[in-house]
Every structure is written in structure tokens, then in C-alpha cells.
Amino acid sequence: MALLQISEPGLSPAPHQQRRAVGIDLGTTNSLVATVRNGHAECLPDEQGQVILPSVVRYLPDGSVQVGNLALQAQRTDPVNTISSAKRMIGRTLNDIQADDEIRYLPYKFGNDERIIHIHTRAGDITPIDVSAKILQVLQARAEESLGGELAGAVITVPAYFDDAQRQATKDAARLAGIHVLRLLNEPTAAAIAYGLDNASEGTFVVYDLGGGTFDVSVLALSRGLFEVKATNGNSALGGDDFDQRLFCWLLEHNSLSQLPAQDSALLQSLCREAKEKLTSQTTATITATLSTGLAISTTVSRETFQQLTQPLVVKTLEPVKQALRDAHVTKQDIKGVIMVGGATRMLHVQQAVATFFGQTPLNNLNPDEVVALGAAMQANVLAGNKNDDEWLLLDVTPLSLGLETYGGLVEKVIPRNSTLPTARAQEFTTFKDGQTAMMIHVVQGERELVSDCRSLAQFTLRGIPPMAAGAARIRVTFQVDADGLLSVSAREQTSGVQAHIEVKPSYGLDDTTITQMLKDSFANAQADAIERARTEAIVEAQSIIAAVEHALSLDADILTDKELSIIQAALAETSKQLQFGEAQTIRNAIHTLSQATDEFAAKRMNRNIQRALQGKNVTDIET
Ligand code: ADP
Ligand code: MG
């Protein structure tokens, strides 16, 4: 994503008036909060002096909630009510995560709502948004305590690959926590800002981020004050935890242990983690424990042994690095600097491997687990208007194209990827049926040509179009993306002025009580809502498809053979029948059959249209 510096003179605060603004790194394993004081960015510690807050939330029997170290420790004894890895689930559906082994093997009981993940705990059904909100609340309280008053706002970081839904869900978590989000910022960009690269010369940089459970690599290009994420890659199942695991397996073998009770293996695993961390600064570490059988073990491991055991993991990170370079069309010789992010990059053999691969010493003089929070704090400081001289705002670009579904399940892109934010673009569409009074607007995100390969963001219907001849109505659809990369779409029929609007931003403009209430309501009515919504959506879709097919037949039925035509007509009849009596699933089945029956037809029509276009007739009328 690119970052653009623009001046914002109206935001200048009165001299000496500092607004309390923080940067928050909401991590999969650990979270941190940082601020800029006296021109210097620093992470804020808790009462015990710890800056790192484990991203773990436990719901206790007495109704209270623990966040951080206490929750992390309770994970062994109360796994079902102790939620970790919320970040892997936020903004995703059960369907999305079903194939994700990292989540599938967590001991949680998931509800079967299709739209949002629910985890059954003793405190009721909890969403990843709730869990993240608890973590944010603790960091907010810590910051307010330390800064002596209410926060004006926060910059919260998200992975560069987070899509719209994941970004929105993160924002919702912040709103639930009562935090004003100044903006969301990509993690690699935050790291680059922390290293001051935004003021540096031009060039291509790599951000190598090895955290607790995930590995992310990003290629950033900086030119004329503009950062662009050229490529991202990684491995969502590779992180510091895997190094603990290798050491743990070695320890078992070394002590001829097998089949340990869960309690013992959890104990040894956490001791292995400690040993791994010690081996970064010491050449040996000793693991001492008494198991539940009474067996006492004391094993010393050398750094050399540890490095040998885990070298394959280090090597494994280089594959995504190579892929990201290829995707960004750069070679390692083009890389001006490599930024190390994530606690696990402290390990010396990781540093070494990266240095050897790139042929240069990586940038590692900032704390790798703090660097994202520090960059976010610097950005928050600017956005809150605390920098008097040389004020600037950083703006992203859209990571993926945004567009509309058009006839035949094809995507018409309205905002191309990499457009600088905020941005707005309009495009005109027309009706395809005489007397058509409604139009379904289906907003999708992605680069592929077919709607089925893109991510569906929202659907709404523009109603009340005055009946006109097909092609006479002029429906202007406007896409707007704000500085956080969040989208709103409106449609307006130009001759009559009827309009409809949707914000792909469910919580925008609502106060926190309303959001809390909405989330509660959604739990209460989730099932009935989901059924009704699914049926309504299926009906809307079926209607629009029937109309589209009928219209297409009225124009181009002559390109079909009799057999093709009769198959389509049978599918049409079945869909119309389902429309009246069917349930969501049977309507969908009919739609599916109908769209399969018309695939070939759509392709033939496209060819015909292309030929028409080649003959000088316009098929689309694009306005920007
Ligand atoms: P995330 O981004 O996933 O929230 P972090 O960046 O905080 O995670 O990284 C956490 C990982 O870093 C853990 O696996 C932890 O053991 C590891 N880590 C932290 N400090 C050290 C150290 N001194 N040496 C080796 N690994 C470390
Ligand atoms: Mg991180």
C-alpha cells in the first residue's frame, strides 16, 4: 500500500497542547501500546514493568475477565474459556477458517452462525471482536493511566494482507472498547515508519516479520514519500512457537519420555519457550522441572544444538521471501534495507540467515517486538496533530480492486487496486429489461474476472426506478473509500433521482452503546435472522438472474441450439417455482442449476458483444 504525504493545515493544535494519542500493535500472540513523549516513541509498560501483553482472554466463572499473562497461564487448566489467536479469526467466517489447521485444532466450541464466528464459553457466545476489544481495553487503560487522561485516539496496526472485512472487524473491536481509531495502519508500513524510512531516500525495502505463530514478509517500495506494498507472502503456520516445539520434542527424546499428561507437556513446552529465549543471549540454557509422576529432569541445551534442531524452520522462511521478491519483480540486489520485526527474529541464526540471503546486515537496532507499535505511535502523534512543523498525513491505497457484479457473474471494476485513498469513483450502468424498476447492486473485491472468484462485500437493491425502455435509465453508482480503506457505495438513477446507499462499514457513525446492543441483538436473533436473510438474499438473486436470463434470451436466443434453449427454459421454470415456495437452499440449488445451464450462453453472448464492440459499438460507458 502506498502512503502519500499531504499537508493538513487545519488540524494544527494550539501551541503546547499535546493530544494523547497511541499506537497499538494488536498481535496474534502479543499486543503492545506505544506513544510519543518529548519527541521520542516508547512502549508503555504495565504495573509490573512489562510492555508485552499476551493476546489471551479468559472468561472466569464469577463473570470477570482476565487478559494477558494470567489468562495465558490458565490456558492449560481452562482451555475452553481461554481464548487466544482471536486475530486469526477476526473478520472471517466459520467457513473461511474451516480449512485452517491453526484454528481447527484449538479446543473451542464454535457456534454455527454463518456470518460471524461465535465461540461458546461460560460467559456465553463470544466473538473474536469481543476478545480483541478486551485486549484493546487493557492497553487503553494502561495508556490512560500512564498519560494521565483520556486518549484522543489510536492508530491500530493490521497485517498488510488483511481484507476489508478483517479491517472493519478490527475497527469494530476498537469501537467496542471505546477507542477512537485515528486510522488502521499496515504492520510493515508501521515498522518502516519506526525506522524513519518515510523520511529516507527512495528504494525498495523488505519487512521480515517472524512472530509467535505466523511469518509475514512484505516488499515495500518507497518513492517520493510514497510507500507501496509491492507484495506480501508468508506462512500462517510458522513462528516462534514452532521453535519451542522442536526443542520440546528433542527434550522428550533426550529424557526418553513419551505420552506425557497434558499438564506436563504444557509445562515443558513453556519451559522450552523460556530456554529458547535465553539462548538468544546465553550460549547454554538449563531446563529443570518436576513432572506429575515425581520424575525430576534437568537438561542443559547448548545454543549450537538448538540452532541445529531449528535450522530447517529458518530455511523454511526463505521460500516465502523469494516468492515475495518474485511477485514484486525485484531481486535481492535491489533491496535497500531489510527490517526485522517480531520477537522470534531475535534468534541469532534467523538474523544470520537473513543477512546471508540478502548479503547485508538487517535493520535490527529497534526492539523487534516493539517496532510495529512504535511506528504506529509515531503515526498517531502526527494524526492527532501534535507535530506543528511539517505536518503530513499518510494515506494508503486500496489493496484490491473494488467493483460490481454485472451480467453473467462478471466483475466490472470501479476502483482499481492501488488507488490512493481517500478516493471516489462513479460509473454509469443501465437497465437491461423494459420497464425494469429495481436493480441489484453487488459489491465485490478482488482481481479476478468472475464474481465467484472474488470476495462478496455487500449487496443492495436500488428500487423505484421509473419504468423505462431497456437501456434508457442511467444509474450512476459511486464508490467511496475513506482514509481507512473502508468503502461506501451509493446508486442513483439520474433522470428520476431515486437513490440507494450502503456503507460496507457496519459500525460507522454508531456510538459504542448502539454497537454493543447490536452485537447482543445479533446473538439473540442470529439464527432466525440468518435463515430469513439467506432466503431473502436467495430470492433477490433468483429474481435478478431470472430477469437477466429472460432478457438475454429476448435478445440473443438465436445463438442457442434448440436443446440448449430447452435446458435453459426448464431451469428458468424450476427457479421461478422455487421463488414462491422454496427455502434458501432449494432456491440456491435452482439458481445454481440455472447459472450452469446459462454458462455457455453467457460465453456466446460475450463473444457476440465483443464482435459488436469491435465493429465500433460501445458496450460500456466508463466515467471516472
Ligand atoms: P506476534 O506478532 O505473533 O504477536 P511477537 O512478535 O510478540 O508475536 O513474537 C512472539 C515470539 O517471539 C514468541 O515465539 C517468543 O518466544 C519469541 N521471542 C521473544 N523474545 C525472544 C528472544 N529473546 N529470543 C527468541 N525468541 C523470542
Ligand atoms: Mg506482530
Side-chain angles (χ1 to χ4, degrees), residues 303-557:
R303 182 188 284 163
E304 203 182 342
T305 305
F306 172 69
Q307 291 187 342
Q308 272 167 10
L309 285 172
T310 53
Q311 189 63 27
L313 297 172
V314 179
V315 172
K316 219 167 149 183
T317 63
L318 296 177
E319 249 342 286
V321 171
K322 290 177 197 158
Q323 190 56 47
L325 293 176
R326 278 196 289 270
D327 290 349
H329 305 295
V330 292
T331 64
K332 47 189 175 181
Q333 286 76 30
D334 298 327
I335 303 304
K336 206 157 176 196
V338 184
I339 304 171
M340 299 299 260
V341 179
T345 61
R346 284 216 178 79
M347 290 183 283
L348 301 172
H349 55 328
V350 172
Q351 302 259 354
Q352 229 143 44
V354 173
T356 310
F357 179 81
F358 284 101
Q360 60 177 295
T361 313
L363 293 162
N364 60 3
N365 50 318
L366 292 174
N367 233 331
D369 34 32
E370 295 184 359
V371 53
V372 167
L374 295 175
M378 289 158 83
Q379 179 71 166
N381 191 48
V382 171
L383 289 174
N386 290 338
K387 270 187 113 174
N388 286 328
D389 54 325
D390 178 27
E391 272 171 44
W392 43 271
L393 280 179
L394 294 166
L395 299 178
D396 277 324
V397 302
T398 51
L400 297 168
S401 300
L402 297 162
L404 282 185
E405 171 168 359
T406 61
Y407 178 73
L410 297 174
V411 179
E412 179 69 35
K413 297 198 175 91
V414 179
I415 298 189
R417 72 188 290 263
N418 278 339
S419 302
T420 306
L421 303 186
T423 181
R425 280 192 191 214
Q427 189 158 332
E428 279 193 7
F429 295 85
T430 189
T431 47
F432 44 66
K433 203 170 125 188
D434 284 342
Q436 184 180 341
T437 58
M439 185 184 220
M440 192 191 61
I441 314 272
H442 183 194
V443 184
V444 297
Q445 181 179 45
E447 304 313 309
R448 306 276 296 269
E449 296 304 321
L450 294 178
V451 168
S452 53
D453 296 326
C454 290
R455 187 181 177 97
S456 169
L457 292 180
Q459 278 188 22
F460 67 105
T461 309
L462 176 65
R463 295 183 195 284
I465 302 171
M468 282 180 246
R474 285 171 49 221
I475 292 141
R476 190 177 170 84
V477 179
T478 307
F479 278 51
Q480 252 182 306
V481 188
D482 71 11
D484 294 318
L486 299 182
L487 168 72
S488 61
V489 179
S490 58
R492 179 186 157 94
E493 200 289 306
Q494 299 292 80
T495 52
S496 63
V498 290
Q499 50 188 330
H501 177 86
I502 191 165
E503 280 185 347
V504 191
K505 195 181 195 176
S507 64
Y508 187 70
L510 299 176
D511 62 29
D512 302 322
T513 342
T514 321
I515 295 177
T516 316
Q517 191 54 45
M518 280 167 57
L519 284 171
K520 280 191 187 141
D521 289 351
S522 79
F523 301 155
N525 305 320
Q527 190 128 12
D529 274 4
I531 292 172
E532 191 45 40
R533 185 187 146 127
R535 192 178 124 79
T536 313
E537 282 177 358
I539 289 176
V540 170
E541 193 178 333
Q543 282 168 335
S544 114
I545 287 181
I546 290 172
V549 174
E550 282 174 345
H551 175 71
L553 285 175
S554 75
L555 291 179
D556 292 320

Side-chain angles (χ1 to χ4, degrees), residues 600-613:
E600 182 59 28
F601 184 32
K604 284 187 175 175
R605 292 194 70 219
M606 263 221 334
N607 285 339
R608 179 178 272 191
N609 279 335
I610 288 166
Q611 267 156 21
R612 283 180 184 148

Side-chain angles (χ1 to χ4, degrees), residues 93-266:
T93 65
L94 211 47
N95 217 2
D96 291 339
I97 63 162
Q98 223 100 58
D100 189 338
D101 285 349
E102 298 303 301
I103 298 166
R104 227 151 38 112
Y105 296 127
L106 291 174
Y108 307 135
K109 296 187 206 128
F110 294 112
N112 45 22
D113 190 315
E114 283 180 2
R115 292 166 299 162
I116 185 165
I117 293 172
H118 287 102
I119 304 164
H120 297 310
T121 69
R122 62 163 71 91
D125 278 358
I126 302 298
T127 69
I129 295 178
D130 296 318
V131 176
S132 304
K134 292 288 180 221
I135 297 166
L136 289 171
Q137 250 163 4
V138 169
L139 295 174
Q140 176 191 31
R142 183 193 289 184
E144 290 184 344
E145 175 94 345
S146 162
L147 302 178
E150 223 173 279
L151 294 184
V155 166
I156 300 179
T157 57
V158 290
Y161 58 78
F162 256 27
D163 66 18
D164 227 61
Q166 291 165 300
R167 285 167 197 264
Q168 278 172 36
T170 305
K171 252 196 138 180
D172 287 347
R175 295 184 66 84
L176 255 187
I179 295 175
H180 173 58
V181 180
L182 295 166
R183 63 166 300 158
L184 301 178
L185 183 65
N186 287 326
E187 287 163 11
T189 308
I193 292 173
Y195 274 99
L197 297 180
D198 47 336
N199 301 320
S201 44
E202 324 234 306
T204 306
F205 298 87
V206 165
V207 180
Y208 178 104
D209 181 351
L210 190 62
T214 55
F215 172 61
D216 297 318
V217 56
S218 317
V219 179
L220 297 183
L222 173 67
S223 76
R224 277 168 280 119
L226 202 102
F227 271 124
E228 192 178 344
V229 178
K230 286 290 189 189
T232 64
N233 212 295
N235 184 338
S236 61
L238 178 60
D241 300 346
D242 298 285
F243 290 72
D244 311 349
Q245 192 62 29
R246 289 282 162 108
L247 187 55
F248 170 73
C249 292
W250 175 85
L251 184 70
L252 293 189
E253 224 172 90
H254 191 79
N255 288 283
S256 312
L257 296 169
S258 62
Q259 296 275 319
L260 286 183
Q263 192 113 353
D264 285 345
S265 63

